[in-house]
Amino acid sequence: MARGLFDVVVNPEHGEDTMTLVADCTNGYEHELHTLRDGTMVILKKEGGPGKQIRIVRGHDDECPFHYIEMGPATAQAAGLLGAARCLLEYNELERTVTLTQITVNKEQVILLTERGRTEPRVRIGYSLLNKLGMAAPRRSRSVRARRGSASVKLRLSVPENELSEECVLSAGAAAKLRLGSGQLCLLAYDQADRTLSFSPLSGIPESGAPAAGSVPGDSAQPTRSQYRSKPVQRTGTKTGRNGKWRTRKIVPSHPFIPYPAKTSKPESPSKTGASVVWVGPKLRAKRG
């Protein structure tokens, strides 16, 4: 069984007998879909449904921020998916079947920073990190509900101009309400269903009602980059658009197989009770002095 994680794009002008798969995007995770080649005929399966025969089109897009699949409205309905959803694509080569399972919760490890002296409830999240968390789809508002245990606060979401940024910076007031300190290793979990961002400290830094001494002033906070890249792609002079529009530039053969990173957690299977499916990104490795 080959797997890959993709965002869903529903295009009314897309043919209903095909599904375009684009797996060369900047922030997308490594995948195993090398055998799902251009022109392959598969059955798109849905639990409790008869399935739908479609042809796979392997596409290339030099401006996409996260791997995606593009399909027509009827195909999306047959798969039980909406536009901007994130899903796990599983390909059974022996049976020539494709199964799409919606991923409702995405998790990433980050080193949290705080803004010294800023009391406004705000969080600044880099565009690259937004994509990994599944937060970069067109939003009706620029705010997010943040939680840590029983503590909850509504934050204004700010995105820096650097589109490769992976930073996560909380204002001093928000950090105090959530009992978080600067330099703290945290697991961020974004739930697409209720648009909630949860913070779970992972480091042994003592908790405090105020930001730690290592906090940074205002917008001068420097992004703390993780020691991995979701996909090692070099893009010279290419900028990633944020307008939510996707374009399939040209059709190319599928990429060579690249195995999963050794420590990448696999998505959990959906429970029979309808619990959320969770995707946990690669672990963050702290730099050694």
Side-chain angles (χ1 to χ4, degrees), residues 42 69 123 133 174 177 248 279:
V42 299
I69 50 178
V123 61
L133 289 169
K177 289 182 179 180
T248 301
W279 175 270

Side-chain angles (χ1 to χ4, degrees), residues 124-136:
R124 189 164 75 251
I125 300 179
Y127 189 62
S128 178
L129 180 57
L130 279 179
N131 280 284
K132 292 174 183 177
L133 289 169
M135 298 177 65

Side-chain angles (χ1 to χ4, degrees), residues 39-205:
T40 301
M41 299 299 298
V42 299
I43 300 296
L44 181 61
K45 293 179 62 178
K46 180 183 178 183
E47 186 176 355
K52 176 182 174 66
Q53 187 176 47
I54 57 173
R55 180 172 59 87
I56 298 297
V57 177
R58 294 300 294 247
H60 173 75
D61 188 338
D62 59 5
E63 294 185 354
C64 56
F66 198 90
H67 300 337
Y68 68 92
I69 50 178
E70 186 175 1
M71 63 189 75
T75 305
Q77 184 177 11
L81 296 171
L82 298 175
R86 178 159 292 180
C87 70
L88 174 68
L89 188 154
E90 296 178 291
Y91 173 52
N92 188 320
E93 187 177 6
L94 295 178
E95 299 180 0
R96 293 292 179 93
T97 59
V98 166
T99 304
L100 302 176
T101 304
Q102 185 169 351
I103 304 295
T104 54
V105 178
N106 295 272
K107 296 183 178 182
E108 284 289 332
Q109 290 186 14
V110 301
I111 296 177
L112 182 68
L113 298 178
T114 60
E115 295 176 293
R116 196 168 50 223
R118 181 179 287 273
T119 58
E120 175 192 10
R122 187 178 86 157
V123 61
R124 189 164 75 251
I125 300 179
Y127 189 62
S128 178
L129 180 57
L130 279 179
N131 280 284
K132 292 174 183 177
L133 289 169
M135 298 177 65
R139 299 174 55 84
R140 298 175 185 174
S141 65
R142 302 304 295 178
S143 64
V144 62
R145 174 64 60 179
R147 289 177 180 164
R148 190 233 165 149
S150 60
S152 175
V153 59
K154 187 176 181 180
L155 304 176
R156 184 170 67 86
L157 177 61
S158 172
V159 182
E161 290 297 326
N162 179 7
E163 294 179 343
L164 298 179
S165 171
E166 296 177 351
E167 70 179 4
C168 180
V169 185
L170 275 175
S171 62
K177 289 182 179 180
L178 297 174
R179 305 185 308 281
L180 295 170
S182 188
Q184 199 161 30
L185 180 64
C186 283
L187 181 66
L188 296 186
Y190 181 68
D191 190 326
Q192 287 185 325
D194 60 12
R195 298 182 180 179
T196 299
L197 183 65
S198 299
F199 291 79
S200 300
L202 299 176
S203 64
I205 297 177

Side-chain angles (χ1 to χ4, degrees), residues 26-46:
T26 306
N27 301 300
Y29 294 110
E30 307 291 357
H31 61 85
E32 302 169 327
L33 298 170
H34 62 292
T35 58
L36 187 54
R37 298 184 177 91
D38 184 59
T40 301
M41 299 299 298
V42 299
I43 300 296
L44 181 61
K45 293 179 62 178
K46 180 183 178 183

